[in-house]
């Protein structure tokens, strides 16, 4: 188990090969909605491997901290089986990070990474987007980054 965690951590550090024809996708769901100041709402992060087995995720979400506050990221039902680092939310910088591995790899069209509850702090538009350093690594023994698409969520905060 320790060996897997170390190998996963090393694999996360390897830069990716060029994007492949069947590239993995990360999505925020729901991708739109209207929510009132003081209220809460939840979004789920989903993985679609596009029929390519993957075994490591390093997902970075960014949100406007002046408008949204993370209440809690839930990991109980996640496709990630081994967390190389516990999910981390920073309400000062507006960043959430999920890092972990999937022993044996996974091939899934709608795998839940996490569900995150936000509190609305201010009116305006709240965009939850994936950071450019997010990675989904193929179960290929080389740590090939197969993340090709990351779809944001845009919310009306009233």
């Amino acid at each position: 188990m320790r060996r897997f965690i170390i190998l996963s951590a090393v694999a996360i550090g390897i830069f990716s090969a060029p994007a492949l024809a069947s590239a993995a996708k990360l999505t925020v769901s729901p991708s739109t909605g209207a929510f009132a100041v003081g209220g809460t709402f939840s979004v789920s992060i989903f993985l679609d491997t596009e029929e390519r087995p993957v075994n490591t995720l390093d997902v970075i979400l960014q949100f406007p901290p002046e408008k949204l506050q993370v209440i809690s990221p839930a990991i109980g039902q996640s496709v990630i089986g081994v967390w190389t680092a516990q999910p981390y939310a920073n309400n000062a910088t507006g960043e959430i990070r999920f890092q972990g591995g999937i022993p044996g790899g996974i091939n899934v069209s709608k795998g839940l990474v996490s569900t995150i509850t936000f509190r609305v702090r201010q009116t305006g538009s709240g965009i939850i987007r994936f950071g450019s350093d997010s990675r989904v690594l193929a179960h290929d023994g080389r740590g090939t980054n197969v993340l090709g698409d990351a779809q944001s969520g845009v919310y009306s905060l009233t």
Side-chain angles (χ1 to χ4, degrees), residues 4 13 19 30 34 41 44 46 66 70 73 81 93 109 112 115 125:
F4 172 76
F41 68 100
S44 294
F46 288 103
E66 70 282 357
V70 173
T93 62
S109 63
L112 179 64
T115 299
S125 178

Side-chain angles (χ1 to χ4, degrees), residues 51-106:
E51 298 183 17
R52 184 179 184 107
V54 303
N55 65 3
T56 306
L57 288 99
D58 185 5
V59 179
I60 300 163
L61 278 178
Q62 299 168 331
F63 62 94
E66 70 282 357
K67 295 179 181 176
L68 297 173
Q69 174 187 18
V70 173
I71 303 300
S72 66
I75 60 173
Q77 300 293 325
S78 180
V79 295
I80 296 176
V82 178
W83 294 93
T84 53
Q86 286 298 310
Y88 174 73
N90 186 327
N91 283 312
T93 62
E95 186 171 286
I96 307 167
R97 190 165 203 163
F98 302 97
Q99 293 178 307
I102 304 153
I106 191 170

Side-chain angles (χ1 to χ4, degrees), residues 11-69:
I12 289 172
I14 298 172
F15 286 97
S16 67
L20 305 169
S22 65
K25 296 178 187 175
L26 290 169
T27 57
V28 177
S29 180
S31 61
T32 61
F35 306 99
V37 170
T40 62
F41 68 100
S42 294
V43 298
S44 294
I45 308 306
F46 288 103
L47 167 68
D48 181 351
T49 64
E50 290 285 317
E51 298 183 17
R52 184 179 184 107
V54 303
N55 65 3
T56 306
L57 288 99
D58 185 5
V59 179
I60 300 163
L61 278 178
Q62 299 168 331
F63 62 94
E66 70 282 357
K67 295 179 181 176
L68 297 173
Q69 174 187 18

Side-chain angles (χ1 to χ4, degrees), residues 1-11 82-84 101 103:
M1 180 62 95
R2 180 183 165 126
R3 185 175 180 195
F4 172 76
I5 293 171
I6 291 170
L7 289 174
S8 293
V10 170
V82 178
W83 294 93
T84 53

